[in-house]
Amino acid sequence: MSGNIELLNTTLAATRAADRAALIAYLPAGFPTVDGSIEAVKAVIAGGADIVEIGLPHSDPVLDGPVIQTADDIALRGGVRIADVMRTVREAHEATGVPILVMTYWNPIDRYGVERFTAELAEAGGAGCILPDLPVQESALWREHADKHGLATVFVVAPSSQDARLATITAAGSGFVYAASLMGVTGTRASVGAQAQDLVGRTRATTDLPVCVGLGVSNAAQAAEVAGFADGVIVGSAFVKAMLDAPDEAAGLAAVRSLAGELAEGVRKR
């Protein structure tokens, strides 16, 4: 069965044709529970998210700040497994028709088996993977299987990436390019920073892929700012924090749906 890279491509093409950025939401699988995470994905989509990234919880994250680390710890202590990640992708996609990607560090895939992981993600209706710690020069095996199964390979670029390095990374990727707005880990911030706009411009000079910006966006004003120069606005920690701060799961779902609505309005006001 083929994955949904084409759905991802057409979704990003449609938002571009509508002269707006896509809203891409990140939520970890298994937080607060597996069932709760599936409902959270449905809630952010109902609120206005165009695309969703499902985080595969990891005990040693290199990109994630304290908010997402806390959620990952809750998920891992709850016993979340890769099968639960696949179930989250499947049920969220079947319920909404929206492209769903998995964001994961490389070690779990390596341990699980590349062929097994890509085949199961495609069968679940996944659109691809974001791989923040997989070096491009070591990605040939992954890309071979991802291509075979119709999955996007999204690499992360950073403000420190030199132009030649950007060209190497974007040539190997598909779906979109994840541009980290600043050096550091995930988390909400008071401002997104001028580095992001410079990075988007330099990345676009190397590729026709959409360039989507993550790290630091937490409100409608920031979403509108980033939407002014990027093809997509990626929001994770703000959604996770809204659920962590909620008194119960129902309140958490209402909070993430409301936040998605505010952010969706923001990306349309660029």
Side-chain angles (χ1 to χ4, degrees):
M1 180 173 178
S2 181
N4 272 314
I5 186 174
E6 285 307 316
L7 176 62
L8 176 64
N9 292 341
T10 55
T11 299
L12 288 165
T15 56
R16 178 179 284 182
D19 193 31
R20 70 171 178 90
L23 175 59
I24 304 175
Y26 167 95
L27 289 163
F31 168 74
T33 62
V34 176
D35 288 342
S37 66
I38 293 168
E39 293 307 311
V41 174
K42 294 178 186 177
V44 296
I45 293 168
D50 301 292
I51 298 164
V52 174
E53 304 171 5
I54 301 296
L56 195 162
H58 194 273
S59 59
D60 187 26
V62 295
L63 185 67
D64 297 313
V67 170
I68 291 176
Q69 285 186 30
T70 298
D72 278 4
D73 185 58
I74 291 168
L76 290 168
R77 285 191 282 112
V80 71
R81 296 290 184 266
I82 288 179
D84 299 312
V85 177
M86 299 298 178
R87 178 188 156 208
T88 303
V89 172
R90 176 182 293 106
E91 294 192 14
H93 175 65
E94 287 178 350
T96 66
V98 164
I100 311 286
L101 300 100
V102 170
M103 186 167 189
T104 178
Y105 298 100
W106 179 246
N107 187 57
I109 295 177
D110 192 39
R111 293 282 300 263
Y112 198 72
V114 176
E115 169 59 22
R116 180 184 178 193
F117 189 94
T118 51
E120 290 183 6
L121 182 56
E123 191 276 331
C129 259
I130 301 160
L131 302 161
D133 68 339
L134 177 63
V136 171
Q137 63 270 24
E138 297 175 18
S139 67
L141 178 65
W142 164 266
R143 288 186 285 125
E144 174 190 343
H145 289 288
D147 290 347
K148 180 171 74 172
H149 289 291
L151 299 169
T153 297
V154 179
F155 289 114
V156 178
V157 298
S160 61
S161 302
Q162 300 298 310
D163 291 351
R165 178 69 176 161
L166 288 175
T168 299
I169 293 170
T170 59
S174 55
F176 63 91
V177 182
Y178 186 124
S181 65
L182 39 75
M183 301 302 294
V185 296
T186 59
T188 61
R189 288 174 172 82
S191 63
V192 178
Q195 289 180 324
Q197 186 166 2
D198 174 70
L199 177 58
V200 169
R202 292 194 297 117
T203 303
R204 280 189 174 145
T206 72
T207 184
D208 291 329
L209 289 173
V211 183
C212 303
V213 171
L215 272 68
V217 177
S218 61
N219 58 50
Q222 291 174 335
E225 177 191 354
V226 174
F229 57 81
D231 299 295
V233 180
I234 303 169
V235 181
S237 295
F239 285 120
V240 176
K241 187 175 187 300
M243 293 191 68
L244 284 169
D245 290 348
D248 54 50
E249 188 172 310
L253 295 176
V256 295
R257 179 170 181 164
S258 175
L259 177 58
E262 294 170 16
L263 293 164
E265 186 175 346
V267 300
R268 287 164 172 80
K269 282 184 175 178
R270 64 177 185 175

